[in-house]
Amino acid sequence: MLLVRLLAAAMGDGTLDLVTVDGKRHRIGSGLPKLTLRLHDRAVERELLTNPRLRFGEAYMDGRLTVEGGTIYDLLSMLMSGSDVQGVLGRAAETLSPLLRRAQQYNPMRRSRRNAEHHYNLSRRFYELFLDRDMQYSCAYFPEPGMSLDDAQEAKKRHIAAKLLLVPGMRVLDIGCGWGGMALYLARRSGARVTGITLSSEQLEVAKRRAEEAGLADRVTFELRDYRDFAAAHPAAFDRVVSVGMFEHVGVPHYRGYFDAVRDMLKDDGVALIHAIGRMDGPGFTNPWMRKYIFPGGYSPALSEVLPVIERSGLLTTDLEVLRLHYAETLRHWRSRFDARRAEAKALYDERFCRMWEFYLAGAELAFRLQGHMVFQVQVARSLGAVPLTRDYMVNAERHLAEASAGIDASTGTIPKLRSAHSAESAT
């Protein structure tokens, strides 16, 4: 049976019993764990042969493929750790993806807004089921083992803020501001004036309301804008630009335009920090199921696709950090929290939607654990003197932020001992 051979090639450790619609049981592998994959109609077998990367997830969503003796995470872990994850026919079906990538990632402004609405205009109540209290929908930062999700997301914001060299009064732009948590954090902790832009009307409404409730509406504003038309209207307007979890939606054909926009919006001594998902194994393509159901137009790039564009834009790469398993841990928390409140998610949507999110969270976590995905933070500047000569300022600022988090001056939001780039450099 061809499907058995293809699954055997994809298998890592463990035993999988494949049960076809006629009740026949085919054993694949040996050892633990032991799972059963049951196919509920004859068409599934054919679909898994021709396009497994897309059809496997669809069959699971529709209940035409079920897992016994474990979860979809357990099954995907078994199938994503073998030597041939896709199978011969599956790989052949995707060899055209690099040729079609420019079309798949062509994201002009209208399509970008439609793509954002597809994912981010889901009910806030849904995201509250599994995100942290600040609604951070991006990779958390785990400098210590055993951290809670809330603490790790707070650590992520500190880590990014430390790299921005913020001082009171600076103007900061947050591209892809989500529900406003990062923008509010930067304003509250540094005294900066922050503008956040998003393509999601749902996120915009929530972010504006949060700024009002926090008493920060005079220092934090949010707009429904695309970074491209926003850049044209704001030349050299910002001391700092930050973007967290948005670059994955830009698309390779638009990288030059993106970094040109960042460059144009920065002042001469400006600094930007881009936090994004990437891949360690070189340029690739987006999983077709993920592209269709979760992030249309999305792509996680290799650094070899990003750094040359930064160079051509005239920006200087002043710091680069790779976070390896931090997103895997973040997704583990999200998956656990989603599972604990699955009934509430089903009440908001339906069973198929819940199965889609189970598949998404499980597959995404395993991509970071087993398939070379990572997160990178690249700091860029317009001039050589914009950033201190050593990285000590990051460590110092992060420590001051942690110390100040419980004793911040509520009236000014300033951080004790946090210095500007130039004063920090003169001290080195």
Side-chain angles (χ1 to χ4, degrees):
M1 185 181 183
L2 182 55
L3 181 57
V4 171
R5 294 202 299 270
L6 294 178
L7 287 172
M11 283 273 292
D13 295 332
T15 302
L16 180 65
D17 282 351
L18 174 67
V19 181
T20 53
V21 68
D22 56 10
K24 291 183 179 179
R25 185 176 294 265
H26 307 268
R27 175 150 292 186
I28 308 166
S30 61
L32 297 174
K34 294 184 178 180
L35 302 174
T36 297
L37 172 61
R38 188 176 297 274
L39 308 183
H40 294 277
D41 63 61
R42 297 187 185 281
V44 174
E45 181 180 334
R46 181 177 65 253
E47 292 168 4
L48 293 181
L49 288 172
T50 57
N51 195 354
R53 287 264 181 158
L54 174 62
R55 301 303 184 187
F56 194 96
E58 288 183 333
Y60 181 76
M61 289 165 57
D62 294 335
R64 300 165 61 210
L65 172 159
T66 55
V67 184
E68 300 168 8
T71 66
I72 188 62
Y73 179 90
D74 300 325
L75 177 61
L76 290 177
S77 179
M78 187 181 289
L79 295 177
M80 291 172 69
S81 58
S83 60
D84 186 356
V85 174
Q86 298 178 66
V88 176
L89 293 177
R91 185 169 55 251
E94 292 188 345
T95 54
L96 293 178
S97 283
L99 302 177
L100 298 174
R101 191 169 63 172
R102 291 191 68 86
Q104 294 167 350
Q105 297 176 34
Y106 177 60
N107 294 321
M109 283 188 271
R110 182 176 296 180
R111 181 178 291 181
S112 291
R113 180 165 295 185
R114 186 169 66 245
N115 290 344
E117 290 173 347
H118 173 90
H119 192 80
Y120 297 105
N121 274 10
L122 296 173
S123 166
R124 178 189 177 183
R125 290 174 57 201
F126 169 70
Y127 285 106
E128 286 175 337
L129 297 179
F130 64 93
L131 297 183
D132 67 302
R133 59 174 173 258
D134 194 43
M135 301 284 285
Q136 290 290 308
Y137 191 33
S138 59
C139 178
Y141 182 57
F142 294 84
E144 299 176 9
M147 293 179 70
S148 70
L149 180 62
D150 286 323
D151 288 345
Q153 290 292 12
E154 188 77 4
K156 183 266 298 292
K157 288 176 286 187
R158 281 199 303 268
H159 199 58
I160 289 173
K163 296 182 178 186
L164 288 171
L165 300 114
L166 294 167
V167 295
M170 278 187 169
R171 291 196 64 194
V172 181
L173 174 67
D174 183 356
I175 302 176
C177 62
W179 292 279
M182 178 62 71
L184 294 171
Y185 177 89
L186 297 179
R188 185 181 295 115
R189 295 294 190 264
S190 74
R193 305 181 69 85
V194 187
T195 300
I197 58 175
T198 177
L199 293 179
S200 166
S201 56
E202 174 74 16
Q203 289 185 332
L204 177 70
E205 179 183 344
V206 172
K208 283 184 172 181
R209 185 166 63 250
R210 291 183 70 189
E212 291 284 351
E213 292 171 351
L216 291 171
D218 60 328
R219 283 193 280 140
V220 185
T221 58
F222 298 101
E223 299 183 31
L224 192 69
R225 297 285 291 276
D226 187 283
Y227 69 90
R228 286 161 283 202
D229 66 3
F230 190 85
H234 295 82
F238 295 96
D239 301 284
R240 302 289 185 261
V241 172
V242 64
S243 184
V244 181
M246 177 270 178
F247 188 70
E248 302 91 318
H249 303 283
V250 171
V252 173
H254 304 279
Y255 285 177
R256 179 61 188 270
Y258 175 87
F259 283 109
D260 284 354
V262 170
R263 178 201 63 210
D264 292 345
M265 288 187 286
L266 282 174
K267 296 178 180 179
D268 288 342
D269 60 351
V271 176
L273 192 286
I274 313 302
H275 167 116
I277 299 172
R279 59 185 73 229
M280 295 182 176
D281 56 355
F285 49 83
T286 302
N287 174 285
W289 183 88
M290 190 76 73
R291 186 172 65 237
K292 180 176 180 179
Y293 290 98
I294 306 299
F295 294 119
Y299 173 66
S300 301
L303 286 170
S304 59
E305 297 174 285
V306 178
L307 296 179
V309 183
I310 294 175
E311 294 170 357
R312 290 193 293 271
S313 74
L315 289 166
L316 306 172
T317 299
T318 48
D319 192 80
L320 176 63
E321 182 176 11
V322 172
L323 307 177
R324 286 157 290 125
L325 290 170
H326 292 263
Y327 217 154
E329 287 301 297
T330 305
L331 284 154
R332 179 179 64 83
H333 280 279
W334 289 350
R335 187 168 55 85
S336 175
R337 292 157 74 104
F338 177 84
D339 184 61
R341 303 183 69 180
R342 190 185 191 280
E344 295 174 69
K346 185 175 178 180
L348 288 172
Y349 294 100
D350 58 23
E351 176 64 18
R352 186 175 189 268
F353 179 90
C354 289
R355 292 172 72 87
M356 178 179 75
W357 272 79
E358 287 170 346
F359 194 84
Y360 157 50
L361 293 173
E365 179 183 338
L366 289 165
F368 286 92
R369 295 199 185 278
L370 302 174
Q371 296 191 329
H373 278 58
M374 53 80 169
V375 168
F376 64 87
Q377 292 182 349
V378 58
Q379 182 197 64
V380 297
R382 292 195 60 162
S383 66
L384 283 172
V387 175
L389 298 180
T390 72
R391 303 180 89 243
D392 294 354
Y393 73 92
M394 296 182 191
V395 177
N396 294 334
E398 198 163 355
R399 184 178 68 251
H400 293 322
L401 284 163
E403 293 170 351
S405 61
I408 191 166
D409 184 334
S411 62
T412 65
T414 57
I415 305 167
K417 303 179 184 178
L418 191 61
R419 298 169 292 179
S420 69
H422 297 293
S423 64
E425 183 172 353
S426 65
T428 61

